[in-house]
Amino acid sequence: MVRFGLTVVRHGETRYNKDKILQGQGVDEPLSATGFRQADAAGLFLSNVKFTHAFSSDLLRAKQTAAAILGKNRFCKDLEIKYDARLRERKYGVAEGRPLADLKAMAKDAGEQCPSFTPSGGETLDEVRERARDFFKFLCQLAVELEQKEHGKPGAPGRSSGTSGEQFVFPWTNHCSEAEPSSQGSGSCTVLDANILVVSHGAYMRNWIGHLVSDLNCTLPANLTKSQLSSVSPNTGVSHFIIKLENGNLLKPNITCVCLNQDSHLVDVGAECVASKVF
């Protein structure tokens, strides 16, 4: 059984987010002062989580957020961030750099609605989902290869020998950053093969989570509402998943969503940050 943790964070706020202007891929804005505060807050929130890998969109707002998060981490300050174009925001074509209201007007003129409407030169939702599907498959393959490599080491410890420590506890659950609670409920933990941080974008993340739920039957928290599932994450909203691959089978991952678009770390940053959900 291959197991890995996946923590997905939306980038911090930019001035275009605040002004409700579409960025997509063609507008590469840096974080605003508020965005940097949000990223620092997310970093503090995740500061005790020991990540084994970090990936980020190669757009500036995501790169700056990923760097800020790891900069606050007790264990991973020097962890290499790998930038991947598959994590970029949805491409909005002619609508990039224009107000969100313009996109809605374009959709209305075309007899369609957002977000399914695709402006000229933009990506369809299916194209975005294909990018997300490809990247998730890549992560699963990475975890399988790591497990195989570790399993092949002489004297490698059994999975049941994993132990939990206070310094590894996730901020939202009793999960351990390198482990998950055992089914026996004894407090012992089962070692994860990888614990991965991903920093990306609002519309992309919504589409990716849609893939995990609709296509891969991800198990969701019991208290999650339909509107919460369909909402765009707030800036630096945090989602966490545990993925299990029986016999390394990449086609049938068992996915559990531990939390979705968690934003409690933003309470002290300012109310406007929590409410900023424009993609």
Side-chain angles (χ1 to χ4, degrees):
M1 173 79 75
V2 176
R3 297 175 176 85
F4 69 96
L6 174 62
T7 300
V8 185
V9 184
R10 186 188 176 195
H11 65 81
E13 182 191 84
T14 68
R15 64 187 179 100
Y16 274 39
N17 285 141
K18 185 176 181 180
D19 294 339
K20 300 184 179 180
I21 296 174
L22 288 167
Q23 296 168 100
Q25 298 182 13
V27 179
D28 201 12
E29 275 284 298
L31 297 181
S32 63
T34 295
F36 277 112
R37 290 197 298 272
Q38 292 172 330
D40 285 344
L44 289 172
F45 183 66
L46 298 169
S47 61
N48 290 327
V49 180
K50 188 174 182 181
F51 295 108
T52 59
H53 300 77
F55 296 92
S56 169
S57 157
D58 59 355
L59 296 175
L60 182 59
R61 54 196 185 273
K63 293 167 72 172
Q64 290 177 327
T65 301
I69 290 173
L70 291 187
K72 296 291 184 181
N73 197 278
R74 292 178 59 192
F75 309 101
C76 312
K77 292 183 189 297
D78 298 323
L79 184 64
E80 179 188 4
I81 303 170
K82 296 183 178 180
Y83 304 114
D84 198 309
R86 289 174 293 184
L87 293 170
R88 287 181 180 180
E89 179 59 294
R90 181 184 181 187
K91 185 177 180 181
Y92 285 99
V94 297
E96 293 181 348
R98 298 172 64 174
L100 177 61
D102 285 6
L103 177 66
K104 293 180 178 179
M106 291 179 196
K108 184 177 180 180
D109 290 343
E112 300 181 40
Q113 290 185 330
C114 295
S116 57
F117 170 70
T118 303
S120 177
E123 279 184 297
T124 66
L125 291 180
D126 285 343
E127 288 172 332
V128 179
R129 182 164 295 201
E130 183 55 38
R131 277 200 285 128
R133 182 184 294 111
D134 185 62
F135 184 76
F136 183 68
K137 187 180 295 184
F138 158 74
L139 293 183
C140 291
Q141 183 63 53
L142 173 66
V144 168
E145 291 174 357
L146 287 169
E147 191 274 341
Q148 291 174 341
K149 182 178 180 181
E150 186 66 25
H151 188 71
K153 289 183 179 179
R159 204 181 284 278
S160 61
S161 65
T163 57
S164 63
E166 185 66 28
Q167 69 269 33
F168 298 131
V169 174
F170 276 125
W172 54 81
T173 69
N174 290 324
H175 284 272
C176 305
S177 69
E178 290 185 309
E180 61 172 329
S182 68
S183 58
Q184 288 80 11
S186 62
S188 64
C189 287
T190 304
V191 176
L192 294 175
D193 297 294
N195 193 29
I196 302 170
L197 172 68
V198 171
V199 179
S200 188
H201 305 264
Y204 177 91
M205 286 169 54
R206 179 170 61 181
N207 207 299
W208 186 6
I209 291 167
H211 165 59
L212 298 183
V213 174
S214 301
D215 302 334
L216 299 178
N217 299 314
C218 172
T219 301
L220 298 169
N223 61 348
L224 193 71
T225 66
K226 189 174 181 180
S227 62
Q228 288 174 316
L229 180 60
S230 61
S231 294
V232 173
S233 171
N235 290 110
T236 68
V238 178
S239 298
H240 182 69
F241 304 85
I242 296 291
I243 296 93
K244 303 176 184 178
L245 303 166
E246 190 75 42
N247 298 320
N249 187 346
L250 302 179
L251 298 179
K252 293 184 178 181
N254 182 301
I255 308 169
T256 300
C257 176
V258 178
C259 69
L260 187 69
N261 301 335
Q262 166 83 33
D263 61 4
S264 61
H265 57 285
L266 296 177
V267 172
D268 296 329
V269 178
E272 66 171 348
C273 307
V274 179
S276 180
K277 297 187 178 183
V278 178
F279 53 90

